[in-house]
Structure formats: C-alpha cells, structure tokens
Amino acid sequence: MQVLLVQHREDPAIIALKNAILNCGHSITCSKNIQETHEAFKKINFDLVLIDCRRAHSNANKSHNSTSNQYDYENICRFIRKLFHYTVIVALTHNYEDREVPCVLPLLKMGFNKTVCETTNLMRYKNELLTLEYGEVSTVKRLQAAHTLFTALEYTNDPIEIMNEKYQLLYVNNAFEKLTGLSLNEVSGRSFHNLHKLNKNEILNKNEHVKAGMAWEFSLPIQKSTGEVSNYSSITIPIIVQGETNKIQNYVTITTTSDKVAFSNLRSKKILKSNEANNESVHPILKKLTSLNIPKKSCDFERFADMIKSESHTANSSVDESGAASDIEKQIDLANDMTRSSPEFNPQISSSNQFRKRSYDIQSTSNEFPSRRHSMARVHQQSIEAPIRKVINIISLAHESSKTDIVRQNLDKALDILRSTELYNPLLLDGDKHTSDLVSGLMSNGLQKRFAKGSIVGTKPLLNNESNSVQNYVKNLSSEIIQLLETEESWDFDIIALERLTNKRPLITLGLKTMNRFSLCQHLKISESMLVNWLTLMESNYKPSNPYHNSTHASDVLHATAYFLSTDKLTEILDDVDRCASLIAAAVHDLNHPGRTNAFLCNSDNDLALLYNDQAVLENHHASLAFQLTRQSQNANIFQNLTRDEYRAIRAIVVDMVLATEMNKHFEHLNKFVNKFSVSTDEKLAIKSLDMLQLPENKILIKRILIKCADVSNPCRPLDIYKEWANRIASEYFQQVRVEIKILILKFCFKLNN
C-alpha cells in the first residue's frame, strides 16, 4: 500500500506513525505543503493519505500574507480530493481524552474519510492501518474498478441494461440511449418488463432460467427512437451474491444490434463540466482545475464535486490573491499534467480504435487468478444452444405475436412435436389398428409394455436361505468402516477413506449398504448373498491399476445416484423398477474400463473399436460385459428370478443409462432435457405436473441426466475429495499421453528404417 504522510512538524506521535507504517510493510512518502504533495502525486498514485490536522482552527486563518509553502491541511485535503477522489484521506487529530471532543463533520465535508487520534502506541497505529487497508482502501479500489467497467460500457457497441432483483432498471449505457432515444433518467426505476412490453409467457420462461442461476437467451422487442419496434437477440444474466444463500442481486441484459450506435456517438458524446469556478471562496488552484472534463455518468466524480461545493459555503479560509495566489498560479500547469492523458479525466483523447468491437466479458473483476483461469472462466460461461432450441424460440415468438386462433393452435402442435424426444421416430398416420401394430412391432425393439408403479413380481420364490457369508462379511467389517458407512446418506461421504479402509475394494461394502437401503433384494427377489456375489464379480472386473476409472469411481457414482434418487422429486417421479435399474447402471457404468479414451481406441484400431464400429466403444463394452458376466454366473445372476418382460425392462433402462454417459452425446441429451423441461407455453406447463414428468419418454430423459450428473459430480464434493479426483483423472490422462508418445516414436522409427 502506498502511503503519503503530510506533516507540519515531527514529534513522537508522527515518529510512532512512521514506524507503524514501515512495520506493516507499506511504503511511505512525506510532504509538508501543497506543492510537495502535488509533486509526490505526480510520481505515485497513493492509496492512503494521512494529514496532520493537529492545529487550532484559528491558526489556519492567522496569516493572510503567507506563501503557498505554508502548511494548510484544509486546502491540501481539498486539492487531493478534487483530483484524486479514489484516494482515502485520513485526518490525524488530537487525543482529547477527558476534554470535549469536537465534531468531525467539518473534516468530513472537507473530503476526509476518517479521523485517527494521535498516540505514541505503535500497536494502536498498526491496528488502525490494518483496519484502513482491509476496509476503506479495499472498498475504494473496488469502486475504482467498477468506475472503469462503467466507462468501458459507455463505449460498448451493444445496448446494456442493468436491473435490481425486482427487474427495475438501474443503468443503461450510451448505446441503449442512442437506439431507443430514452435517457438514463427517463428509464431509471422503470420495470424492465413494462418498458419492453414483454408478455406473461416470455416473463415466465425468463424467470425459470434466471432464478435457477442460468442465462436466458430470447428475442427482445425494442422500440427505437423512430417509433419502429424491432426484435433483437438478447441474453439476460443473473448476478449472484457469493455465499451460502446464492441470492440473485442484479440482472444484466445484453442486446446484440447491427447498428453501430455506440461508435457513431463516440466523439459527439456529451461531457458534463463542474460550475465551481464561479465560487469565489474556493482555493485559486481549484478554480483553474474545474475545467477538467468529467465523464457523463461518473457518479463518484459528481458526488465528490457536490461535497466540495457544500464545503465551500462553510470554509472560512481566505487566501490573499496578491500573495499566495501568485505562487500557486505557477502550479496550474503542473496540475494539468497530473491528468496524464487519462480518459478518466480527458475522455476526448480516446478514439474508437482504442476499443475492441463487442469486447465484453461478464466475469469477476477480481485479479486473484492468473490469465489461464480467466480463459477457463470464459469457456464455462459460453452459452451452448442447439439449433432446435433456436427454432423453438422463433416459433414461440411467432405464436405470441399471432392474433389468429387457428395459427396459434397449429403453432402449439408444432411446438409439442418439436419438444418430443422421439422427434425422428416414424409415426403411422393411415391404416387400420392391426396394420399399425404389425409395422410398429417390426420397427421397434419389441418392448412396448411399461410396468405400473410398484415392485417387480418375480415368478420364482424369494431365496430365504441366507448363507453365513453375508453375516460373516458384515461382522468382519472394522469399526472405522461401520462408522464411515453411517454417513453414507450424506453428500459429503468420503469415498476415498472407504477405499483406503477396504484395501481398494469399496464397491462391495458401499453397494451392499446402499442397495439394501433401496430394498433391491426384495424387488429383484434375490438373497443378500447373491447380491454380494454380484458386487464381488463386478468389482473384480474393474482395473485397480487405473488411477481414476476403477471401482472407487463406480462406488462414487453409485453413491451420487442413490443421493439423487433419495430426493423428494425423484421419489415421486421414478418407480421401483427405475430405482433398481439406476443403481445397477451406476455400479457397472465403467466396468472393465481400460484407462483409455474412445478416441484412443478408435485411432489405435483396438479390438473393441472394431467390435462396436467406433460407436460408443467403451459404453457399449461396459453394458455388454456387465450382462454377460451376470448371466454366465449362476451364483451372481441377480436377474434370474425375473420374467422375460421384467428382465428386458430393466435391461433396457440399464443399457440406455450406461450409453448416456458417452460424452459425444452430452449436448444432445442436455439440449433434449432443456427443451423438454425448461420451455413452457403457459402457466400450467410452467409448473410441470407429476403426470407429465412420469411419461415414459420424460423418465428416460430424467434417468439419462441423473447418471450423467452422478458421473461427473466429483467437482461438487468437498474440496479435499475433489482435489484427489482431479489428480487422479490427470494422472490417468498422462498415462495415455505417454503411451501415445511411445506409439509416435515407434512409427517414426519404422519410417526411418524403411
């Protein structure tokens, strides 16, 4: 922190203050009058200024024949505040002890931010400096950054609107004013929805997204200054307060226009000027400095200008024009140099080529992270939208603007079709019922029947002969494992600790505990010993040599899946068949993973890639092997008590969920889910009914997103667990990189030999 100490004389209190500043690790510069202060500010922008104000007020007016070198803390403070309003100024005052303490209001009106009493106690000064550093100085730095951002917004090509949590407009930039003909004063406080005349459905759609913390892209109707109404592509972004509540504090709407409204008005931008030059009681050096241009919407500039105006009515210092003014006039040219060609003080020096076209980035202004982290933030904040979503938005806009009932009904039908997940499945429009059934049977997988909500009824009786193996297994668990499993229902469950306690075999222990909680044995009509056998078989086919894709990862995904299934909403939507299949899919979703990616297997002509024709190679292998191993083992066949239809129902769910973990289809699944559950045409659809959510095609989407979220959920775990997973996935990736390098070297050597 850069500190300037303006002192009249050196005494024990000043010496203690200097030592405290140095002990805190700050740099200090000293001055004794306004000229030395000015020279110091030409070299350094100080964060904190300490001014010694320990003089009787009568002494300030004692002599009118003094020069500009006279120590006058009032004019020094006004001089600093006039030009450097982002500097924190602190007054050092007398320690009055038992005497009556004077009011600090005159000092505050001069421009001081705070007062500090004199002392010789070093620790008191250090505490005051720490309070200032983390309080006033830190806040002022944020204000300075905010002012810089708002200055940039004034030169942005796209109209920008900032609202509070109630969608009341707080700020619009120059591009918005030029486009609409409405000034900031005219729209300030008005409702965003009323200003743009948004209909109820559009408001509901937008609120669904932004309240969930997501950006909402839509077509915004804007009435131009000519009276013409045009639709522009806009995005509304919620600004969330960091913390546990995640409360939305503001909204920002950015509208993309083809008009270069900002640049056409760049050089003709109006500049406000202060009229303080007419006030005769202001110091002469301040009179000449009032010619500095102030940016149009710099609230901080205007606030400090008003502060100096109000103080000018109470200030009693009168400077002799023939004495002090003659010396101070020489400082005017130096003061003009202090602007250092900054657009903040002289916006007219800026030109349009200094600003990048449409260069805005909505992210934190904090500079705690390096540039690489900023680039990753841009990646995460990219809005990825499928073309079908844009089509739906266009049709929705046409539906809202249409006044014909027939057109609206037809558009409703079109929207229902587009929102369907079976968009490309054939639909028989003509023919009798028997013909339709025959053709449908030929084109489908033969599994048309869906089971009602409830348990599966097996054709074979429940195996009640429990072997001692399960009891012995549970009995042999250590007290540490039993204590850890008591937190199994918590999201903060430590799967890494369970891996360590079970010697890298956590799937059997966690799977038995979790699946018993969901009564999987009762629903499948199997014994616990068979479940243990199946879990043992599955875990033995995970490769412990993989740093990431091993049985611990399978256990982690199983735990996340069970956690999601326990939520109230999914408990209502999914039935016992869905829950059993989801747990099984989570346990086998990466079975026998080789620790290599699909791309590696395809590029290296691996046998699995040849077997599955380069299509979802690993995912097909996981699902296929899981059912092969299960059906080949009589003691581990958990499906043996199910009818054929029941088995095929569970198999279809498991295979679909495992295949959904393929990252190549990530955005396809995600966009289908978003289109189905976030776009609504009226209030009834906005609040999704339970019957609608329980439709077979909707449950398929929900289960796909369920296992996808569970598969990549480790970044949401406690930080220490997340760091461990991050290290493991990086380690596995670099193992593949080393193999790729060896392959490239071998190919290069082969070419050289030939």
Side-chain angles (χ1 to χ4, degrees):
M1 189 166 65
Q2 300 286 344
V3 181
L4 174 65
L5 177 59
V6 184
Q7 63 184 54
H8 177 53
R9 63 183 183 280
E10 192 160 299
D11 57 13
I14 294 294
I15 295 174
L17 179 57
K18 289 182 179 180
N19 292 332
I21 295 172
L22 295 175
N23 287 344
C24 289
H26 307 315
S27 61
I28 182 174
T29 304
C30 297
S31 67
K32 294 185 178 180
N33 52 49
I34 193 170
Q35 185 174 4
E36 292 182 6
T37 302
H38 177 218
E39 293 293 335
F41 265 101
K42 286 181 63 178
K43 300 176 182 178
I44 301 174
N45 287 329
F46 292 98
D47 303 310
L48 176 64
V49 176
L50 295 162
I51 301 179
D52 187 2
C53 301
R54 295 174 300 166
R55 287 194 305 148
H57 187 70
S58 58
N59 292 338
N61 302 325
K62 181 180 292 184
S63 175
H64 298 287
N65 299 323
S66 59
T67 65
S68 62
N69 291 332
Q70 181 188 9
Y71 184 78
D72 187 350
Y73 67 84
E74 295 182 12
N75 284 326
I76 292 175
C77 178
R78 287 197 184 94
F79 170 75
I80 297 174
R81 180 59 72 211
K82 181 65 180 180
L83 291 181
F84 306 97
H85 55 279
Y86 287 126
T87 299
V88 177
I89 308 177
V90 178
L92 181 64
T93 61
H94 288 289
N95 186 0
Y96 291 91
E97 296 180 352
D98 297 333
R99 292 176 293 170
E100 183 179 357
V101 179
C103 180
V104 298
L105 184 59
L107 292 175
L108 296 177
K109 288 185 176 181
M110 290 178 199
F112 288 99
N113 298 95
K114 189 178 179 181
T115 61
V116 173
C117 294
E118 64 177 346
T119 182
T120 56
N121 189 315
L122 187 66
M123 185 53 65
R124 286 188 181 180
Y125 276 141
K126 290 179 68 175
N127 290 337
E128 290 287 353
L129 290 170
L130 289 172
T131 303
L132 289 167
E133 180 181 1
Y134 290 96
E136 284 84 351
V137 174
S138 177
T139 302
V140 166
K141 284 184 176 180
R142 293 193 193 99
L143 287 174
Q144 187 175 7
H147 177 264
T148 304
L149 288 176
F150 276 98
T151 303
L153 291 181
E154 286 301 299
Y155 295 99
T156 303
N157 189 25
D158 295 328
I160 296 176
E161 302 163 78
I162 299 179
M163 301 155 278
N164 60 14
E165 71 279 5
K166 297 180 180 179
Y167 295 101
Q168 293 175 334
L169 287 166
L170 303 177
Y171 167 86
V172 293
N173 67 342
N174 187 48
F176 178 90
E177 293 182 349
K178 185 69 175 179
L179 179 65
T180 62
L182 299 174
S183 65
L184 174 61
N185 293 333
E186 292 174 323
V187 300
S188 180
R190 291 184 60 180
S191 170
F192 174 82
H193 302 146
N194 295 336
L195 177 64
H196 296 290
K197 299 179 180 179
L198 298 179
N199 59 46
K200 200 170 186 179
N201 294 331
E202 192 70 28
I203 295 173
L204 284 174
N205 292 342
K206 180 170 63 64
N207 290 348
E208 278 186 26
H209 278 71
V210 296
K211 287 183 179 179
M214 299 183 294
W216 169 244
E217 293 189 25
F218 62 105
S219 183
L220 180 66
I222 295 181
Q223 184 174 0
K224 298 183 179 180
S225 56
T226 59
E228 176 189 358
V229 178
S230 300
N231 292 321
Y232 294 96
S233 176
S234 300
I235 180 172
T236 295
I237 304 164
I239 308 300
I240 300 176
V241 180
Q242 297 298 323
E244 296 180 358
T245 58
N246 287 336
K247 181 182 178 182
I248 296 177
Q249 182 177 4
N250 294 95
Y251 298 97
V252 178
T253 296
I254 304 172
T255 304
T256 303
T257 62
S258 58
D259 310 274
K260 299 184 178 181
V261 291
F263 291 98
S264 63
N265 197 37
L266 182 63
R267 296 178 180 176
S268 61
K269 188 174 179 181
K270 296 180 181 179
I271 304 298
L272 298 179
K273 293 185 178 181
S274 174
N275 59 356
E276 269 190 46
N278 298 328
N279 197 328
E280 297 298 332
S281 62
V282 182
H283 196 285
I285 193 172
L286 302 182
K287 291 183 181 180
K288 294 298 181 76
L289 294 178
T290 53
S291 61
L292 292 175
N293 291 327
I294 300 175
K296 181 178 180 181
K297 293 174 185 170
S298 177
C299 300
D300 294 313
F301 275 81
E302 296 173 357
R303 180 168 61 86
F304 285 112
D306 293 339
M307 182 186 297
I308 296 177
K309 285 182 189 178
S310 60
E311 170 58 15
S312 65
H313 295 289
T314 58
N316 296 321
S317 59
S318 58
V319 181
D320 189 359
E321 296 291 338
S322 59
S326 59
D327 292 331
I328 295 176
E329 291 290 341
K330 300 176 182 179
Q331 302 176 22
I332 299 303
D333 295 332
L334 297 176
N336 289 330
D337 293 338
M338 296 173 68
T339 59
R340 288 190 292 276
S341 302
S342 172
E344 182 177 304
F345 293 99
N346 193 3
Q348 293 177 344
I349 67 169
S350 304
S351 59
S352 60
N353 58 6
Q354 291 175 304
F355 300 92
R356 293 181 298 162
K357 182 178 181 181
R358 294 197 59 203
S359 177
Y360 54 81
D361 183 18
I362 302 166
Q363 53 181 305
S364 174
T365 58
S366 173
N367 58 356
E368 298 175 0
F369 304 107
S371 57
R372 181 174 179 83
R373 180 64 60 89
H374 283 269
S375 64
M376 291 304 298
R378 294 190 186 98
V379 172
H380 291 298
Q381 291 170 355
Q382 282 292 325
S383 177
I384 302 174
E385 186 177 46
I388 186 66
R389 183 68 183 279
K390 295 183 178 180
V391 173
I392 291 176
N393 288 339
I394 293 172
I395 296 178
S396 298
L397 185 63
H399 176 276
E400 294 162 2
S401 59
S402 176
K403 298 181 180 179
T404 307
D405 293 338
I406 298 178
V407 175
R408 292 171 67 92
Q409 291 174 5
N410 290 333
L411 290 176
D412 282 335
K413 293 179 181 179
L415 288 173
D416 291 338
I417 295 173
L418 290 175
R419 293 191 186 111
S420 172
T421 58
E422 310 298 332
L423 192 59
Y424 298 103
N425 283 0
L427 180 64
L428 296 176
L429 300 177
D430 299 322
D432 57 24
K433 183 178 184 300
H434 296 291
T435 305
S436 299
D437 290 342
L438 287 173
V439 176
S440 298
L442 290 173
M443 292 188 298
S444 68
N445 59 4
L447 184 61
Q448 297 292 332
K449 183 179 178 181
R450 291 292 299 135
F451 298 94
K453 187 173 182 179
S455 302
I456 297 175
V457 181
T459 58
K460 297 184 180 181
L462 173 65
L463 300 178
N464 294 319
N465 298 324
E466 295 288 338
S467 65
N468 293 328
S469 59
V470 177
Q471 297 177 3
N472 293 335
Y473 177 79
V474 176
K475 189 180 298 183
N476 291 332
L477 292 178
S478 65
S479 58
E480 293 179 334
I481 295 178
I482 295 175
Q483 184 178 0
L484 182 61
L485 288 177
E486 291 178 356
T487 64
E488 175 258 341
E489 297 184 25
S490 170
W491 179 255
D492 295 337
F493 177 74
D494 193 349
I495 190 66
I496 305 299
L498 183 63
E499 177 196 54
R500 184 179 65 255
L501 295 173
T502 58
N503 194 21
K504 296 186 177 181
R505 296 179 66 85
L507 184 59
I508 303 174
T509 306
L510 181 65
L512 183 62
K513 178 74 162 56
T514 301
M515 292 180 176
N516 277 338
R517 177 157 64 92
F518 285 87
S519 303
L520 186 131
C521 292
Q522 284 76 10
H523 296 314
L524 296 180
K525 301 301 180 181
I526 60 173
S527 63
E528 279 193 2
S529 60
M530 183 171 291
L531 177 60
V532 172
N533 292 339
W534 182 79
L535 289 170
T536 305
L537 179 63
M538 294 300 108
E539 186 156 43
S540 64
N541 281 274
Y542 276 96
K543 296 186 177 182
S545 59
N546 291 341
Y548 184 86
H549 290 101
N550 49 37
S551 63
T552 306
H553 170 64
S555 303
D556 182 57
V557 176
L558 174 63
H559 173 266
T561 302
Y563 182 86
F564 296 148
L565 290 173
S566 302
T567 58
D568 295 337
K569 196 67 175 178
L570 285 184
T571 302
E572 294 178 353
I573 298 171
L574 303 180
D575 56 24
D576 294 332
V577 180
D578 298 314
R579 283 188 283 272
C580 291
S582 298
L583 294 174
I584 294 171
V588 305
H589 82 284
D590 273 334
L591 190 67
N592 197 237
H593 198 291
R596 304 290 183 263
T597 62
N598 278 334
F600 179 89
L601 298 180
C602 295
N603 292 331
S604 60
D605 294 330
N606 187 274
D607 291 340
L608 289 176
L610 297 175
L611 176 63
Y612 296 111
N613 297 318
D614 297 343
Q615 301 297 317
V617 176
L618 288 174
E619 290 72 24
N620 276 303
H621 176 60
H622 304 324
S624 175
L625 183 62
F627 282 96
Q628 287 181 34
L629 294 173
T630 301
R631 298 196 62 176
Q632 289 172 3
S633 176
Q634 185 177 358
N635 295 328
N637 188 357
I638 59 176
F639 306 122
Q640 64 182 5
N641 292 330
L642 303 179
T643 65
R644 179 168 179 78
D645 286 342
E646 292 166 347
Y647 166 71
R648 293 190 68 190
I650 286 189
R651 172 174 162 78
I653 298 173
V654 172
V655 171
D656 185 77
M657 292 183 69
V658 173
L659 292 181
T661 60
E662 184 195 9
M663 288 308 296
N664 284 348
K665 297 293 183 67
H666 171 78
F667 291 108
E668 178 182 337
H669 296 315
L670 181 61
N671 282 312
K672 284 183 178 180
F673 183 83
V674 171
N675 288 339
K676 191 66 180 178
F677 297 112
S678 66
V679 179
S680 56
T681 56
D682 51 38
E683 295 184 19
K684 293 181 180 179
L685 289 180
I687 305 173
K688 305 297 180 183
S689 65
L690 183 61
D691 294 337
M692 177 185 176
L693 294 173
Q694 287 181 333
L695 292 175
E697 60 270 20
N698 291 342
K699 291 171 68 174
I700 290 174
L701 280 179
I702 292 172
K703 286 177 287 189
R704 288 175 181 173
I705 297 299
L706 165 67
I707 195 168
K708 288 182 68 64
C709 291
D711 192 20
V712 296
S713 64
N714 52 67
C716 301
R717 301 286 189 179
L719 184 59
D720 54 338
I721 300 177
Y722 165 52
K723 286 181 177 179
E724 177 64 24
W725 284 121
N727 290 331
R728 292 187 179 194
I729 191 65
S731 176
E732 187 169 294
Y733 172 76
F734 284 116
Q735 283 185 3
Q736 175 176 309
V737 171
R738 284 191 286 270
V739 174
E740 291 172 341
I741 292 174
K742 290 180 181 178
I743 294 174
L744 290 174
I745 293 174
L746 290 174
K747 288 183 177 180
F748 180 72
C749 294
F750 179 77
K751 289 182 179 179
L752 288 179
N753 293 334
N754 292 337

